[in-house]
Amino acid sequence: MSADPAIRRDIPDATVARLPEYLRALSDVADRGISSVSSEELAQAAGVRSTQLRKDLSHLGSYGIRGVGYEVEHLALEISRALGLTQDWPVAIVGMGNLGRALAAYSGFATGGFHVAAVFDEDAALAGALVADLPISPMTDLALLVRERGITIGVIATPAASAQSVCNALVEAGVRSLLNFAPLVLVVPDDVDVRRVDLSTELHVLAFHEQRKSLPPELGVAR
Amino acid sequence: MSADPAIRRDIPDATVARLPEYLRALSDVADRGISSVSSEELAQAAGVRSTQLRKDLSHLGSYGIRGVGYEVEHLALEISRALGLTQDWPVAIVGMGNLGRALAAYSGFATGGFHVAAVFDEDAALAGALVADLPISPMTDLALLVRERGITIGVIATPAASAQSVCNALVEAGVRSLLNFAPLVLVVPDDVDVRRVDLSTELHVLAFHEQRKSLPPELGVAR
DNA sequence: CAGTGTGAACCACTTCACAGCC
DNA sequence: GGCTGTGAAGTGGTTCACACTG
């Protein structure tokens, strides 16, 4: 029997991408003092359809009560467990420009599952300066601090020009999950996961849709 | 005949999401003084497979030369045109905390297609302070400035608590494309596009994969 | 020939419809 | 009775295989 809820197998990527949103929606609901929600209500708060939500949750297990809904606390715990948020992940941020500082100060790190364990900058002159109560470390200390503090997730907030070498240093030090804010595609070994966040990509996509809206209403394209 | 290249019909969302990356890869290639690339080379630079790239480009038109490849300048122009980057979009940023300031200073705005036309903050005490050479405006001026400066794209960089009301103000003023950095799902009319960027979602997804890696090699899940 | 452009096959994800259960 | 959980159908996107052409 694989009744052990800790044994999770092949959750679709699309589902994983939505679980954080469900978690956030649940925390909203909990803040309003509600202890049980239907898939319909929760889906609304998360911006998806209720069938989508139920199908997604079915990949984790059967945590709802038929005819009633989901127990808020319990579901939140199960999603946290599935995402691996029952432990606290130490994160390193490299690049202390405007963005890096904003990220270091970001409260999202504090709430649930993550903390900034070290911050770095290639400019050795910045070493020692405090950012969000942490001293900026020089890149030469990277391998040491990654090991000492058990860092497994790295955030790259450097200019594009140095992003690949920073990435190499992180991977070399043993980091296998990266969040890349630099506008380029990083080359990494197969066992390293990279997620990219690119403001300019997002703006481009918006521009595309905006352009569509301002075009004369061409036949066929009904929107 | 719809030979007019300006007439673009139903480009898949997934393709639109990749076009910005192709544009960036092309600009890299151009910087290296290369004037013609094959789909294979360009795909590598963009982190996709060459068949994917060719299929994507086929939605825009037939801009390659069989047996040769793509003319860099020309392809870049056609992608820019498809994305609507041949005009300059004025953007408003609301919320001048750490993130908002970082975004205002972000050079990605300057390069190609966008410029920061106004910045706002709900804290009236900040009004007049300069951020990236622009004075912070109070929210009461929003409707006026949006109209005067032709702003069609809004960036929300406020805390979650005020994001929905800021969103309402932007929509009310006529903005129909939004980039939301606040951790919540905004409620908007059907004709408004919202894209969300959420750091904590990205971290959660990384944590999920990281957890997978550190689990004992369960049968079946080969990664 | 070398490399593009594309119908066809395949695959992943979403939505539907409803059986199952509290 | 009402809402969850899920096989089945539908949809959109990716990959393949190859015809086509400069």
Side-chain angles (χ1 to χ4, degrees):
Chain A
M1 291 293 168
S2 61
D4 181 351
I7 296 183
R8 300 269 57 85
R9 48 196 72 252
D10 70 311
I11 301 175
D13 287 349
T15 293
V16 172
R18 281 185 296 266
L19 290 180
E21 189 58 37
Y22 299 157
L23 206 48
R24 199 206 43 76
L26 280 169
S27 119
D28 277 6
V29 168
D31 287 351
R32 289 175 15 232
I34 298 166
S35 67
S36 171
V37 277
S38 67
S39 63
E40 191 59 59
E41 296 164 315
L42 190 57
Q44 191 128 31
V48 301
R49 307 216 177 266
S50 65
T51 54
Q52 174 91 274
L53 177 92
R54 291 203 303 277
K55 175 69 89 178
D56 282 340
L57 295 183
S58 77
H59 293 293
L60 314 194
S62 217
Y63 300 122
I65 304 158
R66 289 166 195 246
V68 180
Y70 300 88
E71 207 272 301
V72 175
E73 291 278 309
H74 181 222
L75 183 57
L77 180 68
E78 291 300 341
I79 294 178
S80 293
R81 194 204 306 272
L83 285 172
L85 302 180
T86 44
Q87 59 186 291
D88 208 55
W89 300 94
V91 173
I93 305 178
V94 184
M96 284 296 118
N98 287 308
L99 179 62
R101 289 165 197 265
L103 294 176
Y106 179 59
S107 59
F109 274 112
T111 64
F114 307 92
H115 71 273
V116 183
V119 298
F120 299 88
D121 198 283
E122 292 201 304
D123 182 354
L126 288 178
L130 288 182
V131 170
D133 296 337
L134 273 174
I136 298 178
S137 300
M139 290 299 286
T140 45
D141 288 356
L142 192 121
L144 176 72
L145 290 175
V146 164
R147 198 164 356 100
E148 273 187 7
R149 301 181 185 174
I151 292 167
T152 49
I153 295 178
V155 177
I156 298 176
T158 67
S162 42
Q164 183 65 57
S165 71
V166 163
C167 168
N168 295 346
L170 284 164
V171 170
E172 174 67 25
V175 176
R176 286 182 299 173
S177 295
L178 298 172
L179 186 52
N180 176 29
F181 285 87
L184 86 168
V185 175
L186 295 171
V187 178
V188 294
D190 282 347
D191 67 336
V192 174
D193 275 305
V194 182
R195 293 186 67 85
R196 181 139 86 89
V197 176
D198 185 1
L199 175 64
S200 107
T201 296
E202 301 300 329
L203 286 174
H204 286 181
V205 174
L206 282 179
F208 173 80
H209 290 297
E210 190 62 36
Q211 173 188 231
R212 276 294 173 95
K213 289 175 191 167
S214 60
L215 282 180
E218 305 253 356
L219 327 170
V221 182
R223 38 161 317 133
Chain B
M1 290 296 167
S2 61
D4 180 351
I7 297 183
R8 302 268 56 85
R9 50 196 69 254
D10 69 311
I11 301 175
D13 286 349
T15 293
V16 172
R18 282 185 294 266
L19 290 179
E21 189 57 38
Y22 299 159
L23 205 48
R24 199 205 42 78
L26 280 169
S27 118
D28 276 7
V29 167
D31 287 350
R32 288 174 17 230
I34 296 166
S35 67
S36 172
V37 275
S38 68
S39 63
E40 191 58 60
E41 296 164 315
L42 191 57
Q44 192 127 32
V48 301
R49 305 217 179 266
S50 65
T51 54
Q52 175 91 273
L53 177 90
R54 292 205 301 280
K55 176 69 90 179
D56 282 340
L57 295 183
S58 76
H59 292 295
L60 314 194
S62 215
Y63 300 122
I65 304 159
R66 287 167 195 249
V68 179
Y70 300 86
E71 207 273 302
V72 175
E73 292 277 310
H74 181 221
L75 184 56
L77 180 68
E78 291 300 342
I79 294 179
S80 293
R81 195 204 306 272
L83 286 172
L85 303 180
T86 45
Q87 57 185 294
D88 209 55
W89 299 94
V91 174
I93 305 178
V94 183
M96 285 295 117
N98 287 308
L99 179 62
R101 289 165 199 267
L103 293 175
Y106 179 57
S107 60
F109 274 113
T111 65
F114 306 92
H115 72 273
V116 183
V119 299
F120 299 88
D121 198 284
E122 293 200 303
D123 181 353
L126 288 178
L130 288 181
V131 169
D133 296 338
L134 273 173
I136 298 177
S137 301
M139 290 300 285
T140 45
D141 287 357
L142 192 122
L144 176 71
L145 291 175
V146 163
R147 199 164 355 101
E148 272 186 6
R149 302 183 184 173
I151 292 167
T152 49
I153 296 178
V155 176
I156 298 175
T158 66
S162 41
Q164 182 65 58
S165 71
V166 163
C167 167
N168 295 346
L170 284 164
V171 170
E172 174 69 25
V175 175
R176 286 182 299 173
S177 295
L178 298 172
L179 186 51
N180 176 29
F181 284 87
L184 86 169
V185 175
L186 296 171
V187 178
V188 294
D190 282 348
D191 66 336
V192 174
D193 275 304
V194 182
R195 293 186 67 84
R196 180 139 85 91
V197 175
D198 185 0
L199 175 63
S200 104
T201 296
E202 301 299 329
L203 286 174
H204 286 181
V205 174
L206 282 179
F208 173 81
H209 290 299
E210 190 62 36
Q211 175 187 229
R212 277 293 171 95
K213 288 174 190 167
S214 60
L215 282 180
E218 305 254 355
L219 326 168
V221 183
R223 30 165 324 133

